[in-house]
Amino acid sequence: MKNILQTCILLFSCFLLAQTTNDKEEIKITLNNYIDGFYEGDTLKLKKALKPRLYKFGYLKDKQTGSYNYYQHLSFDNALKLAQRFKDEGRLRTETKMRSVKVLEVANHIAAAKVTAAWGIDYVLLSKDNGKWMIEEVIWEGPFLEKYKKENSTTYYLIRHAEKDQSDKSNRNPHLTDEGLKRAENWSKILANVKFDKIYSTNYHRTLETAKPTANFNNLDVSLYDPRNFDIEKFKSETHGKTVLIVGHSNTTPYITNQLLEEKKYEMIDESNNGNLYIVTITNDKSSSSLLRID
């Protein structure tokens, strides 16, 4: 009975962690739609991000006095008009340096987040209705300052390849089994709410086949990396501010996770385990991680 109870507690804890992680990723999608709505003049993305009762206002720094002065309230309708005006006037942005999103707190029905964008910093309150996180209120200050670029958050998702064909022990580059192909497809569904900027894989059939469904879903090409010749500092610099999927092996996946964290936290994955999902977030040189088991 004790073992059953411990198992139930463990499964419930994993469920709560997975749910919180999923909520955070959905909130990030909403926040990125919010930024893109203004950057791209995309009113459809804004409608996905904003509640009609939106209340947004801010404080703009006076260049001469250095004081912050109250800036007008922006309603839902005026937000859409502003985005449309940006589009009509060709005032669109494509850069990624002046943008980041960070989830600060998630409760049952409400959440708080921080957005850094071309206009400055927003503190955002969201609520969840019908399974969707949307923005209720925003308070901001501007203009954008160079120091904000250092606040960009980078998120890495790391998985091992799915089940491989082990019928020929001499074959060092086997393909996935039918079970493995199903798991690869399932990863694309599990990670469907994550907007990836880059996807990396080692140059093996099993890892490339694991990465492919998620890459296809995100309309991305798979970039190759060699874990035996892996410059972690260069990699972190090249992926700074992005959301990245890294597909590897039972030994390389926890090894690279530890390198990203700059500590030996995770051990090599058991050969029977193809379901570990490591999530590493780095903000202002501070890192955190979580480990989920997806079967």
Side-chain angles (χ1 to χ4, degrees):
M1 177 63 72
K2 182 178 179 181
N3 289 337
I4 294 174
L5 180 61
Q6 288 176 334
T7 301
C8 290
I9 293 173
L10 178 60
L11 290 173
F12 183 66
S13 299
C14 290
F15 170 78
L16 290 179
L17 180 57
Q19 185 61 46
T20 300
T21 301
N22 192 49
D23 279 334
K24 287 184 177 181
E25 294 309 320
E26 289 179 0
I27 290 169
K28 287 181 181 180
I29 290 172
T30 296
L31 299 175
N32 277 302
N33 279 334
Y34 169 68
I35 296 175
D36 287 339
F38 291 111
Y39 275 20
E40 301 171 3
D42 192 331
T43 56
L44 291 179
K45 285 189 176 180
L46 272 188
K47 288 179 180 179
K48 291 180 180 179
L50 304 177
K51 290 207 168 178
R53 58 174 173 261
L54 170 76
Y55 192 88
K56 176 176 178 176
F57 68 97
Y59 293 86
L60 189 62
K61 185 176 183 180
D62 187 289
K63 293 181 180 180
Q64 294 182 342
T65 65
S67 62
Y68 283 86
N69 302 314
Y70 175 82
Y71 202 79
Q72 67 188 41
H73 161 235
L74 185 69
S75 67
F76 174 82
D77 290 337
N78 286 336
L80 297 182
K81 290 177 182 178
L82 181 59
Q84 187 63 50
R85 190 167 81 238
F86 288 158
K87 182 177 181 179
D88 293 341
E89 296 174 358
R91 296 162 57 189
L92 307 180
R93 314 188 70 95
T94 57
E95 98 294 307
T96 59
K97 291 183 179 180
M98 291 193 288
R99 68 177 295 158
S100 68
V101 299
K102 181 179 182 181
V103 180
L104 303 176
E105 188 74 31
V106 180
N108 293 318
H109 186 70
I110 61 174
K114 178 182 178 182
V115 168
T116 305
W119 53 83
I121 290 178
D122 291 1
Y123 283 96
V124 179
L125 296 179
L126 308 94
S127 64
K128 187 178 185 180
D129 286 324
N130 299 319
K132 295 178 63 177
W133 286 99
M134 299 186 75
I135 297 171
E136 293 258 13
E137 299 182 8
V138 181
I139 183 171
W140 64 273
E141 71 173 39
F144 179 88
L145 301 177
E146 280 294 313
K147 67 178 182 180
Y148 297 162
K149 292 182 180 179
K150 299 179 181 179
E151 298 180 352
N152 283 352
S153 178
T154 309
T155 305
Y156 300 97
Y157 292 76
L158 301 97
I159 60 175
R160 181 195 178 195
H161 62 78
E163 288 82 352
K164 65 182 179 180
D165 183 355
Q166 301 187 63
S167 59
D168 182 359
K169 299 298 183 181
S170 65
N171 184 3
R172 298 183 61 83
N173 190 19
H175 290 275
L176 295 182
T177 61
D178 289 342
E179 182 182 5
L181 291 172
K182 290 179 181 178
R183 183 185 292 275
E185 287 291 341
N186 196 41
W187 278 125
S188 70
K189 296 174 183 177
I190 292 169
L191 300 171
N193 289 324
V194 183
K195 184 179 180 181
F196 287 109
D197 299 298
K198 296 282 289 185
I199 295 179
Y200 290 86
S201 169
T202 56
N203 193 18
Y204 291 91
H205 293 315
R206 56 192 181 276
T207 46
L208 289 167
E209 289 168 4
T210 302
K212 185 178 179 181
T214 305
N216 289 343
F217 185 84
N218 286 268
N219 294 316
L220 293 173
D221 294 325
V222 177
S223 300
L224 299 179
Y225 74 97
D226 183 356
R228 294 165 296 186
N229 185 27
F230 191 71
D231 187 333
I232 188 64
E233 293 305 322
K234 181 180 179 182
F235 181 76
K236 288 166 71 174
S237 176
E238 291 175 346
T239 55
H240 178 70
K242 299 184 183 301
T243 301
V244 179
L245 174 65
I246 306 171
V247 183
H249 305 262
S250 59
N251 57 342
T252 66
T253 296
Y255 174 71
I256 291 176
T257 303
N258 290 339
Q259 282 194 300
L260 292 169
L261 293 170
E262 297 183 5
E263 64 171 304
K264 188 176 180 181
K265 184 175 181 179
Y266 298 107
E267 300 295 332
M268 189 169 72
I269 303 170
D270 186 88
E271 185 60 29
S272 63
N273 177 6
N274 297 87
N276 276 10
L277 170 62
Y278 303 83
I279 305 174
V280 177
T281 301
I282 302 176
T283 305
N284 294 343
D285 296 325
K286 294 182 180 179
S287 60
S288 61
S289 69
S290 59
L291 170 58
L292 302 176
R293 176 72 179 268
I294 311 294
D295 285 321

